[in-house]
Amino acid sequence: MSKIIDGKLLAANIRANLKERSLDIAKRLGRAPALAVILVGSNPASQVYVQAKTKAGRECGITIIDKHLSDDSNQTQLIQTISELNNRKEVDGILLQLPLPKTGAFDEFEAIKAISPQMDVDGLHPLNQGLLLRGAEGFRSCTPLGVMRLIDEALRQLGVSSNIAGKKAVVIGRSILVGKPLGFLLLERNCTVTMCHSRTQNIEEECRSADILVAAVGVPEFVKGSWVKQGAIVIDVGINRTEAGKIVGDIQFNEVEAVASAITPVPGGVGPMTIAMLLSNTVDSAERKIVP
Ligand code: NAP
């Protein structure tokens, strides 16, 4: 039986620490850290994510600036909103909730590029992604950061070294949001990284070679127990809704739990950590503005 790494608890501990840092920032900067959250349209899932981020942010003492653009808004209005926020000195971070609506001819990449890289607390601006590629300082995207913190928590709970240099890490999924940046974060820690995707051959074998296996596929219960090496650390990024309305990950939890040394649950694993990392990036951004 593996250790179940509780992302909800880890995220709560991180948020408690962020609350203290926010209070300290408020004293030293004369204001609390501030995050602008842009939601375009009325996609129910996006609304739920924005509500969760707003609630968690406020609980950490972060000022949330709501920017809701209606369903009939367009790219020009969105870029205008972003530009205004870029110029507000009291704003430390801008989150653009994705995906953008299919209507209104939105260009997601152009919108992300319009965010000032210094405000890009979601870590999706090409400059920040380029800095990651270089191994230089910059905002890292939130889900991959959350995954790394969960791996560290797994190592801590297993009582093994946090030095993962030379370990074989396999990431399933190569999206710009999760898989690719995560691959570079693992490389930064000197893992030997294999990226799998829909064209990968012998994916089961690739997975079986992993000391650390991360699934970011978007296919319910894709990874089976027989794909996992005994004692591997397994992180499940997937959020999938079954026909019965149940939320499941990309890992066949019951099967994999019997083989892995540590595993994250869905829900309650990567999801809460993604939000915690967004808030952490926002607090970091505000802290940088404090003149010593
Ligand atoms: P995405 O953009 O759809 O990317 C999915 C990746 O999986 C692609 O690289 C795709 O390969 C690969 N893939 C799809 N089917 C495959 C198959 N049969 N075999 C091997 N690889 C396959 O998704 P994403 O944005 O990265 O998200 C992945 C999952 O994580 C989703 O369930 C999403 O909801 C979840 N997610 C969770 C959080 C969180 O906070 N917990 C955050 C973001 C995403 P190709 O590139 O070849 O098409």
Side-chain angles (χ1 to χ4, degrees):
M1 290 290 268
S2 54
K3 287 202 183 291
I4 296 169
I5 309 302
D6 186 343
K8 215 170 152 186
L9 180 65
L10 182 60
N13 291 337
I14 291 169
R15 290 200 309 270
N17 174 263
L18 290 176
K19 190 173 181 178
E20 282 176 25
R21 285 171 63 198
S22 291
L23 286 171
D24 182 58
I25 290 167
K27 277 189 217 139
R28 296 166 67 193
L29 204 59
R31 62 164 181 82
L35 171 67
V37 178
I38 307 174
L39 173 64
V40 186
S42 51
N43 176 316
S46 293
Q47 283 176 332
V48 170
Y49 287 130
V50 162
Q51 276 162 14
K53 289 167 186 175
T54 300
K55 182 170 177 282
R58 291 199 170 125
E59 281 168 10
C60 290
I62 295 173
T63 303
I64 303 290
I65 300 161
D66 277 318
K67 288 280 172 191
H68 189 181
L69 275 69
S70 64
D71 276 305
D72 58 4
S73 58
N74 58 36
Q75 178 84 1
T76 311
Q77 288 163 320
L78 175 59
I79 300 288
Q80 236 166 30
T81 303
I82 293 170
S83 306
E84 279 164 25
L85 290 167
N86 281 340
N87 291 321
R88 282 173 64 173
K89 292 205 164 38
E90 80 284 12
V91 178
D92 302 301
I94 299 172
L95 165 80
L96 173 61
Q97 184 63 42
L98 301 174
L100 295 174
K102 298 276 174 270
T103 55
F106 288 105
D107 184 330
E108 216 160 84
F109 189 41
E110 283 304 318
I112 290 168
K113 281 197 288 184
I115 297 173
S116 158
Q118 286 73 34
M119 298 251 201
D120 170 42
V121 285
D122 222 9
L124 297 179
H125 190 284
L127 181 79
N128 283 315
Q129 294 198 320
L131 290 169
L132 168 63
L133 187 72
R134 297 279 317 207
E137 210 178 296
F139 286 118
R140 305 301 196 226
S141 39
C142 303
T143 302
L145 259 188
V147 170
M148 295 307 294
R149 293 289 284 266
L150 285 162
I151 292 170
D152 281 327
E153 179 61 15
L155 296 166
R156 193 189 67 77
Q157 289 192 25
L158 292 168
V160 296
S161 167
S162 62
N163 181 0
I164 50 175
K167 296 281 180 206
K168 178 88 194 275
V170 174
V171 180
I172 320 174
R174 57 173 165 179
S175 72
I176 199 71
L177 191 65
V178 189
K180 276 185 195 163
L182 178 61
F184 284 103
L185 287 178
L186 288 160
L187 264 183
E188 251 178 14
R189 295 277 295 269
N190 296 313
C191 286
T192 302
V193 181
T194 301
M195 311 272 321
C196 295
H197 46 79
S198 64
R199 314 287 175 88
T200 299
Q201 293 179 3
N202 302 324
I203 194 161
E204 304 177 25
E205 240 166 76
E206 294 292 349
C207 290
R208 261 193 297 274
S209 71
D211 302 305
I212 298 168
L213 177 63
V214 185
V217 196
V219 177
E221 302 183 323
F222 182 70
V223 176
K224 315 294 176 215
S226 60
W227 299 21
V228 176
K229 179 159 97 178
Q230 189 80 39
I233 291 174
V234 180
I235 309 287
D236 192 347
V237 181
I239 304 175
N240 311 290
R241 192 176 284 277
T242 64
E243 275 176 20
K246 195 178 162 213
I247 299 288
V248 298
D250 291 344
I251 306 279
Q252 216 309 325
F253 187 86
N254 293 335
E255 287 179 21
V256 174
E257 192 202 1
V259 188
S261 60
I263 184 170
T264 59
V266 177
V270 176
M273 287 300 292
T274 296
I275 298 179
M277 294 300 100
L278 169 74
L279 304 176
S280 176
N281 278 347
T282 305
V283 170
D284 286 349
S285 175
E287 246 166 17
R288 277 188 215 120
K289 292 181 181 164
I290 296 171
V291 182

